[in-house]
Amino acid sequence: MTDDKKMFDINEFLKRHLFVKNWVNYRQQSYTKYELMQLIESVEAALSVDDTLAKISPPVTIVGDIHGQYPDLVRVLCNQNSKEDAKKKAAYGFCNSRFVFLGDYVDRGHHSIECISLVFALKVVYPTNYILLRGNHETKSINYTYGFREELVNRLGPIDGFEIWERFNVAFSWMPLACLVGHKILCMHGGISPKLHSLKEINEIDRPVAEILPDSLAQDLLWADPADGQGAMTVRSTPEYVPNGVRGLSFIFNEAAVRDTCKRLNINLIVRAHQMIPEGFKFFADQKLLTIFSAPRYMNETDNHGATLRVETDGKLNIGRFRHKKLLHANSADEITRGDDIPNLERKKSGSMPVKHLKTSSSSSPSHSNGKSKGGEGLSLGKI
Ligand SMILES: [Mn+2]
């Protein structure tokens, strides 16, 4: 047994991902084949415990596309408190909050391995607090092409990199395809489907789903888009679903499809990701569908916000928006994360590991206190 095989410890692995020094010039993690294989094995066991339609109760934070933007992911994880929580000095952060991720952790950005390793480690350490839904980029045919495979091969070599890429895709096949938050909010990566008649049908999709088959319910959950901005497809027009010409597969659905689905499934809101939104979030169909996108300054090309959605216990919704870090704080010093909260590690006394909570008032932080002025005003799902 080599040294690296003796050393793998999931808590240390998690800690090193969250205690990142100097955001601006942060260095990427380095990985061994052995630890990634161990991580994948552990996460498969944790993922398989969730139903294909996972369930979680509020309070919970829902996060959209990440796409390899590691510093932005860490900020999302470490800033999940509202101003009310801060006043009450409530515990917060990645170890005290529940999260639903809507998929697309990998591809596009430069740190797919860090992003997927971090969320996988969180799932292993806090299995009931983290729901990791599958996005269309968590499929082999997509992440072969859009960055993940190339990143693994470049960093781990052609043989090990390719082998680990194959293993990651097996883990992806265990990810749930949708999540029900508090009985009334249905989450998925892409959208709804003409094949979705009851919530039970989602659970009837057996995992592992190695391949997302054409014209399947799974494909629509991962790929469909709302008709917003599609012009010709008016609000009440039929058909409710038309072929998705932009993606070349699945459907575009209209407002009537959203209303009918909510009624049929007895839900109040559908939350999905999958599309870059300049504001970070966008409502559709009389606020019955919400798109959340959590990769600010996507691909370093668009000056978009990121956003996350916080669902409170009483059903109130708060949307937090945040900017890409580099734009606002080009000269910022080290930023401290909650690396001291890793379980089974002795908690450091004050001074030895500084814990400086990020300011919730800053627009660079995904604070949820500003949801009111950004479209969240008066939003409540009531009892959920
Ligand atoms: Mn997507």
Side-chain angles (χ1 to χ4, degrees):
M1 191 182 279
T2 58
D3 279 352
D4 66 322
K5 290 191 181 181
K6 280 185 279 184
M7 293 300 287
F8 183 69
D9 174 335
I10 189 72
N11 293 314
E12 284 292 343
F13 186 84
L14 182 52
K15 181 184 172 185
R16 87 175 197 231
H17 281 78
L18 283 157
F19 191 69
V20 181
K21 284 208 160 193
N22 197 334
W23 284 116
V24 178
N25 299 309
Y26 65 91
R27 286 186 284 274
Q28 64 193 16
Q29 302 282 328
S30 65
Y31 297 98
T32 66
K33 178 183 174 183
Y34 174 76
E35 66 185 356
L36 291 177
M37 291 296 193
Q38 292 290 302
L39 174 72
I40 290 165
E41 199 175 299
S42 304
V43 85
E44 280 173 351
L47 289 168
S48 65
V49 171
D50 293 326
D51 288 335
T52 309
L53 174 64
K55 290 190 175 67
I56 201 162
S57 306
V60 61
T61 299
I62 303 172
V63 186
D65 294 32
I66 298 297
H67 278 308
Q69 297 189 194
Y70 179 40
D72 294 318
L73 168 61
V74 176
R75 287 165 60 222
V76 163
L77 288 164
C78 295
N79 280 280
Q80 296 310 318
N81 64 322
S82 64
K83 270 188 176 168
E84 285 169 27
D85 284 344
K87 274 182 206 154
K88 286 185 256 169
K89 297 190 175 169
Y92 68 94
F94 65 88
C95 64
N96 293 305
S97 304
R98 286 194 284 269
F99 290 86
V100 175
F101 283 82
L102 301 178
D104 280 12
Y105 316 86
V106 301
D107 288 343
R108 308 288 193 188
H110 297 299
H111 296 90
S112 291
I113 312 175
E114 278 79 2
C115 289
I116 196 66
S117 295
L118 174 50
V119 294
F120 273 7
L122 287 162
K123 179 68 183 172
V124 172
V125 177
Y126 309 102
T128 57
N129 281 10
Y130 284 81
I131 302 293
L132 307 181
L133 299 186
R134 190 172 183 180
N136 61 306
H137 281 264
E138 281 73 55
T139 57
K140 236 176 155 174
S141 56
I142 300 300
N143 65 46
Y144 182 90
T145 309
Y146 290 95
F148 187 44
R149 179 190 55 87
E150 196 181 349
E151 193 181 315
L152 281 164
V153 165
N154 285 344
R155 290 172 60 181
L156 289 140
I159 295 167
D160 286 354
F162 194 81
E163 191 183 338
I164 295 166
W165 172 76
E166 296 260 17
R167 282 294 287 120
F168 265 117
N169 276 286
V170 175
F172 296 159
S173 71
W174 285 101
M175 292 175 129
L177 304 179
C179 179
L180 195 57
V181 175
H183 307 293
K184 290 292 184 185
I185 302 175
L186 180 65
C187 306
M188 76 287 284
H189 180 72
I192 54 176
S193 170
K195 298 175 188 72
L196 181 57
H197 306 102
S198 73
L199 291 173
K200 209 175 75 181
E201 284 168 322
I202 300 175
N203 268 339
E204 284 166 359
I205 302 171
D206 280 332
R207 290 169 301 153
V209 183
E211 200 184 337
I212 305 294
L213 296 174
D215 305 318
S216 63
L217 171 57
Q219 186 181 65
D220 296 336
L221 292 170
L222 265 56
W223 282 95
D225 292 308
D228 206 9
Q230 303 293 323
M233 219 176 159
T234 55
V235 173
R236 288 174 195 282
S237 66
T238 53
E240 292 185 345
Y241 297 86
V242 297
N244 193 328
V246 178
R247 309 274 184 188
L249 76 180
S250 189
F251 292 100
I252 289 172
F253 53 88
N254 70 8
E255 297 198 359
V258 173
R259 279 195 297 272
D260 288 350
T261 299
C262 286
K263 202 172 169 188
R264 195 163 59 241
L265 305 182
N266 191 26
I267 54 172
N268 292 344
L269 177 69
I270 295 162
V271 182
R272 45 87 64 176
H274 196 38
Q275 283 176 305
M276 192 281 290
I277 308 289
E279 292 290 306
F281 71 96
K282 191 171 189 178
F283 280 103
F284 179 67
D286 298 326
Q287 300 195 337
K288 289 214 166 302
L289 183 132
L290 173 62
T291 300
I292 286 282
F293 194 80
S294 306
R297 196 166 172 79
Y298 180 46
M299 296 172 71
N300 245 351
E301 285 175 359
T302 32
D303 191 19
N304 61 291
H305 282 87
T308 57
L309 173 70
R310 169 96 172 173
V311 183
E312 304 293 352
T313 313
D314 61 4
K316 283 207 175 71
L317 306 178
N318 282 313
I319 294 166
R321 297 199 312 165
F322 59 107
R323 284 278 191 188
H324 185 60
K325 188 70 184 172
K326 281 183 187 173
L327 283 178
L328 289 165
H329 298 292
N331 299 315
S332 67
D334 290 0
E335 210 169 303
I336 303 306
T337 68
R338 303 278 294 175
D340 58 337
D341 286 326
I342 310 293
N344 304 327
L345 286 179
E346 199 181 331
R347 189 177 260 278
K348 299 282 173 71
K349 301 293 176 215
S350 61
S352 58
M353 187 180 287
V355 178
K356 185 180 73 178
H357 301 323
L358 305 182
K359 283 181 186 171
T360 56
S361 57
S362 164
S363 62
S364 69
S365 301
S367 158
H368 294 93
S369 55
N370 61 351
K372 283 185 178 175
S373 60
K374 298 296 194 298
E377 187 164 13
L379 275 178
S380 176
L381 292 178
K383 203 177 172 190
I384 55 175

